[in-house]
Amino acid sequence: PSSTAEELHQKHPLLKEVVPPLLQELFDDRDLCDATSPFQNDGAYVNFLAAKVLCANKLRETLFAISRTALEVPATNLLPLLERQRDLKAALKDCCAFLAVLEVKKLEAAQTDDSKVLPPRFSRVVKRLELSEKEVKAFEHALVLQCLPDKFRELKSWMELAAYAKLSPSELVRFAQKSRAHFKQGILTDVTVGFSGDPD
């Protein structure tokens, strides 16, 4: 993936046209895009997680749009539209990869000896809860929807928790067991999800 936000936008100029406002705000924040600088507070980290969720949501919308376009658009108009959608798909995939790498580096930066801030509370809590990688993503989704509901009300479609975390039905059942620590401690009180097929 691209190592900086500038590289990402140079590679994919289309991103400027399509990224949600919250994600564009992240790209415009030089400190937040600096991999050597830790997240300065929990609020900044929640906004970062929201940008990750929005990017994944936009990618999923694009994949569904490609599937619909191939079926609904007349053949004479199909090629340029599909090319644009495939460029958008590539841009958003790279964007998701960039955000994942940036998050890891910023969390690592908070653990260095000279760091003046602690890692975000969310990252410390999920370590104690012994969650799988997919379950951490489920937590991200739940946290973002709980903390920033207004950011998502205007969306035409919303990615379900299970789809975002790529949880299978059996993995979801395990995650939602009331005996798990995150339910016992009241960190999560309910898991409401839907399943729908993801296009390739």
Side-chain angles (χ1 to χ4, degrees):
S2 303
S3 58
T4 67
E6 289 81 6
E7 283 183 17
L8 182 67
H9 280 86
Q10 286 171 5
K11 183 179 179 183
H12 300 292
L14 191 59
L15 276 177
K16 279 276 187 188
E17 300 175 31
V18 297
V19 294
L22 185 65
L23 188 51
Q24 188 57 54
E25 287 171 22
L26 183 151
F27 286 134
D28 292 339
D29 187 330
R30 297 187 70 84
D31 183 64
L32 205 51
C33 286
D34 181 358
T36 64
S37 171
F39 294 103
Q40 294 303 304
N41 52 57
D42 288 332
Y45 187 53
V46 170
N47 280 330
F48 184 89
L49 293 180
K52 278 179 60 182
V53 174
L54 283 167
C55 190
N57 195 66
K58 188 70 178 176
L59 174 58
R60 190 164 182 256
E61 280 182 9
T62 302
L63 294 176
F64 277 120
I66 291 172
S67 299
R68 286 196 307 271
T69 299
L71 295 173
E72 297 172 4
V73 174
T76 51
N77 303 327
L78 186 58
L79 190 57
L81 189 54
L82 278 178
E83 284 178 352
R84 177 182 166 82
Q85 288 177 338
R86 284 170 183 154
D87 287 346
L88 178 56
K89 171 185 170 183
L92 290 166
K93 278 192 167 184
D94 278 0
C95 186
C96 288
F98 167 76
L99 293 174
V101 171
L102 180 61
E103 179 183 14
V104 169
K105 289 182 177 179
K106 290 182 77 70
L107 291 176
E108 287 174 348
Q111 297 174 32
T112 59
D113 293 338
D114 58 347
S115 175
K116 296 177 181 177
V117 296
L118 290 170
R121 184 170 180 267
F122 175 87
S123 66
R124 288 178 275 141
V125 168
V126 295
K127 281 184 180 178
R128 290 201 303 270
L129 292 175
E130 299 180 349
L131 301 171
S132 69
E133 189 175 329
K134 288 183 180 181
E135 288 174 338
V136 171
K137 286 185 70 67
F139 250 93
E140 290 176 4
H141 186 285
L143 177 73
V144 165
L145 209 56
Q146 180 179 333
C147 294
L148 300 170
D150 292 344
K151 298 288 185 185
F152 302 95
R153 287 201 182 106
E154 68 253 21
L155 295 178
K156 295 177 185 176
S157 62
W158 178 238
M159 195 174 194
E160 303 93 346
L161 179 148
Y164 175 71
K166 300 190 185 320
L167 289 170
S168 68
S170 61
E171 288 170 331
L172 179 63
V173 168
R174 183 174 182 279
F175 178 69
Q177 286 174 344
K178 300 299 182 185
S179 59
R180 297 288 299 275
H182 46 275
F183 279 104
K184 283 185 173 181
Q185 296 177 24
I187 299 171
L188 280 185
T189 56
D190 191 21
V191 175
T192 305
V193 297
F195 282 97
S196 60
D198 280 328
D200 294 329

